[in-house]
Amino acid sequence: MIEAALTILSVCALLVLSQLSPGPDLFLVVYTAMSRSFRSACMVVTGITAGFAIQTALVCTVGTQIMDQPWSRWLLVAAALWLLYLAWKIFPRKFGAVEIDASPQVKPGAGALFLQGFLCNVLNVKCLLFISGLSLGPIGIYGDAIPWFTPALAVGLILSSQFGWMLWSWLLQRQPIRAFYLRHAPAIDATFAVLLAIFAILIIAE
């Protein structure tokens, strides 16, 4: 029992650390946290976690069998198109000084930010494979012997996703980081946009 609980904690800690690895979710969170408010970043993060919850539920039930379906290729195409759209939205239209709106009003709307985060994650089919890599091994070891293990692991992963993204968003709100973004916003936004487009091209090429 204790070993199973420690395994869940280890997997959840690994998830939080792995959120800093390059990927669409990270780029969207960093961009939103630095260019907007913490509240805006939290809405994006919550959307990402909602998509993550769906993918986690799939892994804990049908696992990677989804990728064996003939229609899975269309999921990859949809994911690539969405990433290209995000890249187009993020790419700066003009260069110059940037001002961060410190007002409590969320711009764009909270629903739109949530949807951006949700689609960014749920259309990232590679996230499904990543969750599988984290959880299928422990589930194979403890899932049959301990009835509560798989549900507890799924809940732990979902809560860790939300906590981790909110933690990184909060850290990105610190003044030195925000000041750096203000000085170099166009270059940073353009870099994020190009990286997202590269991810989209790689998805289509596979």
Side-chain angles (χ1 to χ4, degrees):
M1 290 272 186
I2 295 178
E3 185 178 352
L6 290 176
T7 298
I8 292 177
L9 291 176
S10 299
V11 171
C12 292
L14 181 60
L15 171 65
V16 173
L17 292 176
S18 67
Q19 288 175 331
L20 295 177
S21 61
D25 291 350
L26 176 67
F27 298 148
L28 185 59
V29 169
V30 172
Y31 169 75
T32 306
M34 290 198 300
S35 65
R36 300 187 184 277
S37 65
F38 178 65
R39 183 181 174 186
S40 296
C42 285
M43 291 309 303
V44 168
V45 164
T46 303
I48 289 175
T49 300
F52 185 86
I54 292 176
Q55 300 218 46
T56 300
L58 289 173
V59 168
C60 291
T61 52
V62 296
T64 56
Q65 297 175 10
I66 292 177
M67 296 307 297
D68 295 330
Q69 302 300 318
W71 42 263
S72 63
R73 177 64 183 174
W74 294 106
L75 289 179
L76 294 174
V77 172
L81 292 176
W82 174 250
L83 293 181
L84 287 174
Y85 170 75
L86 281 181
W88 176 78
K89 291 285 289 184
I90 290 175
F91 197 86
R93 302 300 190 270
K94 61 181 180 179
F95 290 78
V98 174
E99 295 182 359
I100 302 289
D101 185 3
S103 67
Q105 183 179 4
V106 179
K107 298 179 181 179
L113 291 169
F114 176 91
L115 184 61
Q116 283 184 7
F118 175 77
L119 291 176
C120 182
N121 182 272
V122 81
L123 290 176
N124 182 12
V125 183
K126 288 187 176 180
C127 182
L128 190 71
L129 300 177
F130 174 76
I131 299 172
S132 298
L134 279 179
S135 58
L136 289 183
I139 289 174
I141 297 173
Y142 300 105
D144 293 334
I146 305 176
W148 55 262
F149 181 84
T150 300
L153 178 62
V155 172
L157 286 172
I158 294 168
L159 293 178
S160 298
S161 172
Q162 182 73 12
F163 168 78
W165 285 127
M166 290 185 68
L167 173 64
W168 305 132
S169 297
W170 178 78
L171 290 174
L172 289 168
Q173 290 287 307
R174 300 307 91 200
Q175 186 56 38
I177 298 177
R178 288 170 67 82
F180 178 83
Y181 174 80
L182 287 174
R183 291 195 301 270
H184 307 286
I188 293 174
D189 291 353
T191 300
F192 287 157
V194 170
L195 289 173
L196 283 173
I198 291 174
F199 267 88
I201 294 171
L202 291 175
I203 288 175
I204 295 175
E206 289 184 354

